[in-house]
Amino acid sequence: MPSLSPSLDELVDALKRLPGLGPRSASRIAEHLLSEDRTRAVKLLASLERAVKTVKHCELCNTLTDEAVCPICADQTRDRTKICVVESPADQRVIEETMAYRGLYYVLMGLVSPVKGIGAEELHLTKLLERVKNDAAVREVLIATPFTPEGDATAHFIAKAMASVAPAVRVTRLARGIPAGVELEYTDANTIAGAIFGRK
Amino acid sequence: MPSLSPSLDELVDALKRLPGLGPRSASRIAEHLLSEDRTRAVKLLASLERAVKTVKHCELCNTLTDEAVCPICADQTRDRTKICVVESPADQRVIEETMAYRGLYYVLMGLVSPVKGIGAEELHLTKLLERVKNDAAVREVLIATPFTPEGDATAHFIAKAMASVAPAVRVTRLARGIPAGVELEYTDANTIAGAIFGRK
């Protein structure tokens, strides 16, 4: 079959490389963007263009932000003795929404993953380690990576590195346990075991 | 929480309006596009820009194409006595890939859907009806909409309209039946019933 539209093919190709999109969803999105009403395509184009130009990594915490230093790092009312280490800006957002944490952050933009060939060097840990070493205000590093093999490997690596560069800093991790509002009988054995070991 | 990046928020907002994407997948894609390696973002930007400028609807069959008249409509070796009516360019593509059809197409870019408020007027049926009425070469209209309530409603509407504007043209629909390679016991009752009624 001759290609009806090389431009459409190229767009589908760019879309299907995005995380979570396969060839079918990519072509559905492309057709939607190029159907009669193109306001969504124009809006996406403008916002992507703006974001590529504007969004950068915060010099201090590495999160995605429009400023050189993000609003959280710049906020002098935050508790500067604590740094919470998260995988992504999305994880940072859910922690902020709990209003249970008022310290600072460090955003890894990924996790250690032997399967995907991402070692500790690929994550920007040096910046975090330097900061903890040089900033005497920091008393605690709270590791908030998920309880997955990759999250565990990352947490382990950070804890080890911390112990060598700043042994006085307390390294903690989110509690592992039963989620709120969930019946025990619907909770997996691994989670229940974690909650038993973590009982207090 | 203050927004860490209004540009990122705006991009997530534009992405989550696309079909099949929710807030979580939109923010995952946005973070991916804006992480260190921005080649994918730049590629997506360029291809979307080009597609918005270049892709249009074929004057004859309404499919998405880069030319005024698409390569299939322009191909004089195709069987011009048949028009296959499909929902989308993606459906047109899968039919082409079968190599079982050598006629022309008409692409609706949607289906009649009372739930979504899409009536027959929203689809570009007038163009199809005019064409069938005025082009004496057309002998058959094969309706290839899916066997869903919306696909059935669309097929029913087209068949009725055809009967009034071009009663001599044969209107057919894809056969309904058991898919190839699937055990009967794993096939739903509705499909089996359709195959029984359509037996020959």
Side-chain angles (χ1 to χ4, degrees), chain A residues 25-100:
Chain A
S25 42
S27 105
R28 194 157 149 242
I29 289 175
E31 288 181 9
H32 172 86
L33 285 170
L34 297 171
S35 66
E36 230 112 341
D37 178 7
R38 294 201 174 167
T39 43
R40 279 179 193 180
V42 171
K43 194 172 173 306
L44 176 60
L45 201 52
S47 56
L48 181 55
E49 201 159 17
R50 184 181 151 196
V52 166
K53 264 189 213 136
T54 318
V55 179
K56 44 193 153 301
H57 290 279
C58 170
E59 281 171 14
L60 294 174
C61 77
N62 203 41
T63 197
L64 294 175
T65 180
D66 293 2
E67 318 294 332
V69 170
C70 79
I72 292 181
C73 286
D75 180 352
Q76 294 300 326
T77 71
R78 309 276 311 201
D79 178 353
R80 307 191 90 78
T81 65
K82 295 180 180 62
I83 297 179
C84 176
V85 181
V86 292
E87 177 183 351
S88 66
D91 286 359
Q92 180 184 21
R93 202 172 312 124
V94 295
I95 293 179
E96 277 296 288
E97 280 165 5
T98 66
M99 313 247 261

Side-chain angles (χ1 to χ4, degrees), chain A residues 89-90 93, chain B residues 8 12 15-16 22-32:
Chain A
R93 202 172 312 124
Chain B
L8 176 61
V12 170
L15 285 167
K16 78 181 179 205
R24 268 164 193 283
S25 41
S27 105
R28 194 157 149 241
I29 289 174
E31 287 181 9
H32 173 86

Side-chain angles (χ1 to χ4, degrees), chain B residues 113-183:
Chain B
S113 167
V115 178
K116 294 187 204 143
I118 304 171
E121 314 72 43
E122 268 73 43
L123 302 181
H124 301 80
L125 285 174
T126 328
K127 216 157 94 176
L128 170 64
L129 297 176
E130 284 296 314
R131 180 166 153 201
V132 174
K133 200 166 130 189
N134 299 327
D135 184 351
V138 180
R139 306 308 319 142
E140 180 181 350
V141 169
L142 163 54
I143 303 175
T145 57
F147 292 102
T148 60
E150 300 177 353
D152 288 342
T154 308
H156 178 75
F157 183 88
I158 295 173
K160 232 176 87 181
M162 266 328 150
S164 82
V165 302
V169 171
R170 193 177 160 217
V171 177
T172 57
R173 197 169 174 199
L174 288 184
R176 169 177 210 140
I178 314 296
V182 174
E183 302 279 352

Side-chain angles (χ1 to χ4, degrees), chain A residues 12 19 26 52 64-65 96 100 120 131 141 148 165 167 180 187 197:
Chain A
V12 170
V52 166
L64 294 175
T65 180
E96 277 296 288
R131 182 165 153 202
V141 169
T148 60
V165 302
T187 307
F197 290 126

